Every structure is written in structure tokens, then in C-alpha cells.
Amino acid sequence: MPTAIAVTSPDLVLPPHDRGTPPAVVQPLGTLEDSLTGMHALIEQHGYVISLYSTGADSAVTRRLHTVRSVLESDRIALLGIDLPPLGIALLAQQLRQLSVCDFSPGVLASSARLLAHYIYAGALLGSVAKLDRVPVSLKSHAKSWVPGAQFAVLANPRAELVRVGQGELPGPEFGTRLLSAAGQPPSDWVTSTLAPAWQVQGAATVPLPGESVRWWGTNRLVEFAAGLHDVSVLYQLVSSVRRDACHWCGLELIGDRCGFCAAPLSQPSAEELSATTVRAASPVRAALPRGAT
């Protein structure tokens, strides 16, 4: 069975691209007892569980996840706090679900989450930025948010950007992506009619707005969006192009500088090793990403 991918609520489970994409599971559940029972069953069935949660999630959710892992005393549960908006978390979980049926070990799959998150462009069209605290907002933008009809295009990842619609453009990806959008109130077609063509996306789809999005963005006057890689062969090439190491603490394979399961950092390389690793990894990673709509 492939490694299980878990998210914190059912509305973060996106429809699969095809029959080969496994479903995601939800953790934690309503009670601690149910969470323990459910997580134990996942470990028995899948061997390993990768549980994603937003760093902006309710503290009660993260506490329960850590409590479950502590009570079960399992080293087969990866708890990954990701600094992405809700729809970005859902997209990342979908990518990991696609890769879970490939020949990656659980350690590589877990540590690839940070790499994949870097290539997700997540943001929202907002009717107000008065309560937005996830992205730096200038005093001038705060004042403009009180103007009737004002709209702001905000990018939270991979870097923070904020522009007023009609007075600037959000920088988009330089590689082919699929765009997801989820509308709150009032609905708007700006994401599909303006942003999608500007970013030259290879496809677009609408999904329900995650329940956590209103709290994350500070308003219900929003349309959230997330663009990322969707072809499993490109995702596979991106992850497989990065050097693999063995975790010095738990022994699992990893990519990057930290184990996804035990969170142990990779031992500090020498300056010569670091330079050589950067040269080896940078070129194939860039080559793995198709540009534009080609």
C-alpha cells in the first residue's frame, strides 16, 4: 500500500486527477480516541503516514496531532507544518498523493513536501485587507481597502506580493501549471479571466472554498487560488533530481536538509560539499520544469 497522505479537514481533499491517485485521509478526527484509533489503523494498513497541516491552523488541531504521535510512540508518522494558505495545502497534498504510488521511499516523499511547496503559487483576490496578517500590508493599502469596490490581488507563496487590481500584476510561475480557484462571497471571474491567461496556465478548475480560508485571509470577500505542477512525470523528475541522503537519526532516506519523520537536520556539510551539491541539484531541477504553456 502507498504511504498515506493526511490533511486536517475533508475540504482539503481535492478530487483525484485519475483512478491511480489514492485518496487522502483526515487527521485528527473529532475526538482523541477516534484520532488514535484512526491513525493506528492507517499505520497498520499503509506502513507510514504523512500528515500535513497549515502553520496557521488552530492550535488545538496541531496539539492533537502531536498528542496522537506521542501516545502511539510511532516513528512512522510525519507531522509537517507547511506555511501555505488552505488551498495551497490541498494542492500540495494532491501532489504527494500522486507521488505516493511512485517508487519513492516514505522518507523521500515526506521531505519532498518542502521542495514541492516552493513551486506552488498560492494567493487570493480579496475585497479587503484590513484583517490580513499573513502578508505584509502597507498603511496605504489598508486605507484603500475601505474604498467601496476595491479589490486586491495577494500572493502568499512562494513570496509575498500585494497589488490593487487594475494597478499592477502578480508575478507568476515561469513553468507550466494548473490553476485551482475557490470562490467565497461575492463571486468573481478575475482569477479565470485575467490571472489564468497572464500566468499561461495549462488548465484551470474550480473547487469548493476550504472552511479555514476565511480565517486565514481575514475576510469572506475572497477568491482563493493556487497554481502548481500537475503532471506526475514532471513531479517525479523534480523530486528524483535532488540528491538523497540517509537520516543520521532514524535512518530513513531524505532530500533537502531535514528529515520529514524525525525532523533531524542533515549533518552540516563542508563548504566544498555544499558547493558541489548546489551545482548538481540546481540544473536538473530547473530542467524538470516545463516553461509556460509548452
Side-chain angles (χ1 to χ4, degrees):
M1 292 292 291
T3 299
I5 308 300
V7 291
T8 55
S9 64
D11 54 20
L12 297 179
V13 181
L14 296 177
H17 283 306
D18 51 53
R19 292 183 178 181
T21 302
V25 297
V26 176
Q27 274 290 341
L29 299 176
T31 66
L32 178 58
E33 182 179 359
D34 288 344
S35 300
L36 288 167
T37 302
M39 187 69 82
H40 178 73
L42 289 174
I43 296 172
E44 290 294 310
Q45 183 178 3
H46 296 270
Y48 291 85
V49 180
I50 298 172
S51 186
L52 302 179
Y53 64 91
S54 170
T55 54
D58 191 317
S59 58
V61 172
T62 58
R63 280 198 305 269
R64 179 164 293 174
L65 284 172
H66 285 274
T67 299
V68 167
R69 186 172 66 176
S70 297
V71 172
L72 293 178
E73 296 183 335
S74 175
D75 58 0
R76 297 190 172 195
I77 303 171
L79 301 182
L80 305 181
I82 307 295
D83 190 18
L84 280 173
L87 192 57
I89 294 284
L91 177 55
L92 176 60
Q94 186 180 62
Q95 292 176 336
L96 292 176
R97 289 159 56 195
Q98 291 177 269
L99 291 174
S100 69
V101 296
C102 299
D103 58 359
F104 293 124
S105 67
V108 169
L109 189 62
S111 54
S112 71
R114 293 173 63 196
L115 171 66
L116 297 175
H118 179 73
Y119 293 98
I120 290 177
Y121 280 66
L125 173 71
L126 303 179
S128 171
V129 294
K131 296 182 179 180
L132 178 63
D133 58 5
R134 303 289 181 180
V135 176
V137 180
S138 68
L139 183 60
K140 185 177 181 180
S141 295
H142 268 300
K144 287 182 177 180
S145 70
W146 294 100
V147 177
Q151 289 186 314
F152 298 85
V154 184
L155 191 66
N157 192 79
R159 56 189 177 276
E161 297 281 351
L162 186 152
V163 298
R164 187 172 179 182
V165 172
Q167 298 182 3
E169 297 182 355
L170 288 182
E174 297 181 355
F175 47 89
T177 61
R178 181 171 181 263
L179 180 69
L180 300 176
S181 62
Q185 296 294 332
S188 170
D189 65 353
W190 178 85
V191 172
T192 53
S193 65
T194 301
L195 186 68
W199 283 6
Q200 301 181 50
V201 300
Q202 297 175 335
T206 58
V207 296
L209 185 71
E212 189 69 12
S213 296
V214 170
R215 188 174 74 89
W216 204 97
W217 292 103
T219 179
N220 63 352
R221 295 159 53 197
L222 82 156
V223 180
E224 190 172 6
F225 56 83
L229 300 167
H230 61 97
D231 188 324
V232 67
S233 63
V234 177
L235 291 167
Y236 182 90
Q237 186 178 356
L238 176 63
V239 174
S240 61
S241 66
V242 183
R243 168 182 162 174
R244 303 185 192 185
D245 292 284
C247 176
H248 67 87
W249 183 259
C250 69
L252 290 176
E253 279 189 310
L254 62 88
I255 62 174
D257 59 0
R258 188 171 298 275
C259 178
F261 279 87
C262 70
L266 187 67
S267 56
Q268 187 67 29
S270 66
E272 293 77 9
E273 291 174 330
L274 183 60
S275 176
T277 300
T278 302
V279 170
R280 284 197 302 271
S283 180
V285 167
R286 286 195 294 267
L289 303 177
R291 294 184 62 86
T294 58

